[in-house]
Amino acid sequence: MPAPDYVLKLRKKIGNDPLWVPGVRGVVVDDAGRVLLARRADNRQWALISGMLDPGEQPASGLVREIFEETAVVAEPERVVSVGAVGRSCPFRTLTATRPA
């Protein structure tokens, strides 16, 4: 998916400086225990479903939206495993567990 319009507008103003944008990543598991992966648009590698949150969007609902946008799978949040910042210099990772509806 392309960057949201609000991010593109910010980029026009600040250029390529670091931009703090909240994001989500989730593990989607079906009843057989299979994990849903998608190919990333930037490097074509397989990865967990992830994306940027819209302004004011909650992580669980944002992840459900991203899962549907990227895979057409309808998921239901089961639990949040951790919340944190992601970046080269940040030790935290964001991971939200979900199970398909």
Side-chain angles (χ1 to χ4, degrees), residues 36 38 49 64-75 100:
L36 179 64
I49 309 303
V64 168
R65 176 186 53 76
E66 286 290 344
I67 291 166
F68 184 76
E69 286 177 359
E70 294 183 16
T71 67
V73 169
V74 177

Side-chain angles (χ1 to χ4, degrees), residues 48-70:
L48 296 172
I49 309 303
S50 62
M52 290 183 264
L53 292 176
D54 290 336
E57 189 173 35
Q58 294 297 311
S61 59
L63 180 57
V64 168
R65 176 186 53 76
E66 286 290 344
I67 291 166
F68 184 76
E69 286 177 359
E70 294 183 16

Side-chain angles (χ1 to χ4, degrees), residues 86-93:
V86 178
R88 288 187 201 121
S89 62
C90 183
F92 303 106
R93 295 286 182 251

